[in-house]
């Protein structure tokens, strides 16, 4: 009888589903992450999180976090609370490189996203993240390109380099050219504008006949990421205090990047006529 009593608990361990022992874990330890864990229900494979305000944020909109330890054989429910502007389509990834869109449904004061994810961890985000390091890597990839000069326009309040790209054809005299300025990511949460900037930079550095024509006729400056600090901490940036980057163009300006761009535009426009200025945004979210 004693042996039977010892064996029964061991048998119970074998027949209890693995999911009873799974422990869902939320990861916000990486660059750009933003989420506060509200609750975890391992039995129902449900997590509830809330975006957090960063620095001078007034909205809780941007979220980016990893989830591991969930049961991969049943749907995982991800509930994002207190988001006044939930994305029409959020995104998930298993490697933080390749992303897939996912739709949600509004329930009470949260947006719920449900799917059966086949790998762990899975990363979940408001949209496709694009971080400061992506800009740095893009600049490094173009160091040997004869049509582009990369430099640090300034440093952010937290010491991050604000990268600037200058495109032109050196075989044509600069004195004959017009001036074009393009900037992006004044609102940190608008990550998709960085993909537009990335594509523009790749195009301007290419051998495309239209890019060649632009470089002969113009000097083009591109600053793809203005609010690098808020991007790094997963902030929203829209209407942030003390002033929104996109509302900081009066003098004196508060932010280093805005001051630096204003000064550079003035200096470069003394040499070449400024014909185009573009500030790239995308709807949030």
């Amino acid at each position: 009888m004693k042996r039977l009593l010892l064996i029964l608990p061991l048998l119970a361990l074998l027949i209890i589903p693995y999911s009873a022992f799974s422990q869902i874990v939320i990861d916000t330890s990486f660059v750009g992450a933003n989420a506060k864990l509200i609750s975890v229900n391992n039995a129902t494979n449900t997590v509830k999180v809330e975006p957090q305000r960063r620095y001078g944020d007034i909205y809780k909109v941007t979220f980016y976090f990893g989830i591991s330890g969930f049961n991969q054989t049943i749907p995982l429910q991800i509930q994002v609370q207190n988001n006044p502007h939930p994305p029409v389509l959020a995104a998930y990834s298993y490697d933080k490189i390749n992303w897939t869109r996912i739709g949600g449904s509004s329930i009470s004061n949260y947006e719920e996203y449900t799917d059966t994810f086949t790998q762990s961890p899975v990363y979940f985000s408001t949209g496709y993240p694009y971080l400061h390091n992506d800009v740095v890597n893009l600049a490094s990839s173009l160091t040997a390109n004869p049509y582009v000069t990369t430099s640090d326009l300034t440093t952010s309040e937290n010491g991050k380099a604000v990268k600037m790209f200058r495109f032109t054809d050196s075989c044509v005299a600069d004195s004959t050219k017009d001036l074009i300025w393009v900037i992006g990511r004044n609102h940190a949460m608008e990550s998709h504008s960085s993909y537009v900037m990335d594509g523009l930079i790749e195009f301007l550095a290419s051998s495309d006949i239209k890019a060649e024509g632009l470089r002969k006729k113009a000097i083009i400056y591109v600053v793809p990421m203005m609010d690098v600090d808020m991007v790094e901490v997963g902030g929203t940036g829209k209407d942030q205090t003390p002033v929104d980057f996109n509302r900081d163009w009066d003098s004196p300006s508060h932010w280093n990047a805005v001051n630096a761009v204003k000064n550079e535009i003035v200096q470069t426009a003394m040499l070449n006529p400024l014909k185009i200025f573009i500030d790239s945004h995308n709807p949030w979210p």
Side-chain angles (χ1 to χ4, degrees), residues 15-285:
I15 63 176
I16 292 175
Y18 170 78
S19 60
F21 297 96
S22 63
Q23 295 294 321
I24 297 174
V25 176
I26 302 298
D27 180 15
T28 59
S29 63
F30 51 90
V31 172
N34 183 339
K36 177 184 177 183
L37 179 62
I38 303 299
S39 65
V40 169
N41 189 323
N42 290 287
T44 61
N45 231 31
T46 301
V47 298
K48 186 174 290 187
V49 300
E50 180 182 18
Q52 294 295 286
R53 296 186 183 95
R54 304 296 200 205
Y55 299 152
D57 267 346
I58 65 172
Y59 302 111
K60 296 181 178 181
V61 177
T62 305
F63 53 84
Y64 184 16
F65 55 94
I67 310 175
S68 60
F70 56 89
N71 188 337
Q72 298 176 31
T73 63
I74 62 175
L76 173 63
Q77 294 181 334
I78 305 166
Q79 299 174 354
V80 182
Q81 282 193 324
N82 298 322
N83 190 338
H85 301 282
V88 175
L89 293 171
Y92 71 88
S93 172
Y94 297 117
D95 57 8
K96 294 191 284 188
I97 299 172
N98 301 291
W99 293 86
T100 302
R101 294 289 191 182
I102 181 172
S105 56
S106 297
I107 303 173
S108 184
N109 66 332
Y110 59 84
E111 192 81 359
E112 183 176 288
Y113 306 90
T114 303
D115 205 342
T116 302
F117 300 100
T118 58
Q119 298 180 45
S120 177
V122 60
Y123 298 92
F124 199 70
S125 176
T126 312
Y128 290 14
Y130 195 101
L131 302 173
H132 179 256
N133 197 51
D134 294 313
V135 177
V136 173
N137 290 338
L138 180 60
S140 297
S141 73
L142 296 173
T143 53
N145 189 293
Y147 307 120
V148 58
T149 303
T150 62
S151 61
D152 294 347
L153 171 67
T154 186
T155 54
S156 70
E157 281 67 21
N158 286 347
K160 291 285 185 182
V162 180
K163 306 299 289 187
M164 181 171 70
F165 299 72
R166 181 184 186 272
F167 298 89
T168 199
D169 187 338
S170 60
C171 295
V172 179
D174 285 351
S175 59
T176 66
K177 298 171 183 173
D178 292 326
L179 184 63
I180 298 173
W181 270 88
V182 187
I183 64 174
R185 209 67 181 275
N186 275 293
H187 296 142
M189 67 171 297
E190 297 175 3
S191 61
H192 303 109
S193 68
S194 283
Y195 286 92
V196 175
M197 294 292 93
D198 188 290
L200 173 65
I201 288 169
E202 293 281 6
F203 165 74
L204 291 173
S206 74
S207 59
D208 187 287
I209 189 170
K210 294 179 181 178
E212 290 179 353
L214 275 172
R215 293 192 300 261
K216 291 180 185 298
K217 296 178 180 179
I219 302 171
I220 307 136
Y221 289 89
V222 182
V223 183
M225 185 175 290
M226 293 285 285
D227 191 359
V228 296
D229 289 342
M230 198 67 97
V231 169
E232 286 294 276
V233 297
T236 299
K238 177 72 173 180
D239 296 334
Q240 66 176 301
T241 58
V243 61
D244 186 312
F245 263 65
N246 200 42
R247 309 291 185 268
D248 194 30
W249 292 86
D250 290 335
S251 294
S253 296
H254 175 79
W255 301 107
N256 293 349
V258 178
N259 266 312
V261 164
K262 286 167 57 177
N263 291 335
E264 284 293 320
I265 290 175
V266 169
Q267 294 300 316
T268 54
M270 289 179 180
L271 302 174
N272 300 85
L274 177 62
K275 293 294 185 178
I276 300 174
F277 175 84
I278 298 174
D279 183 7
S280 178
H281 291 258
N282 66 263
W284 62 292

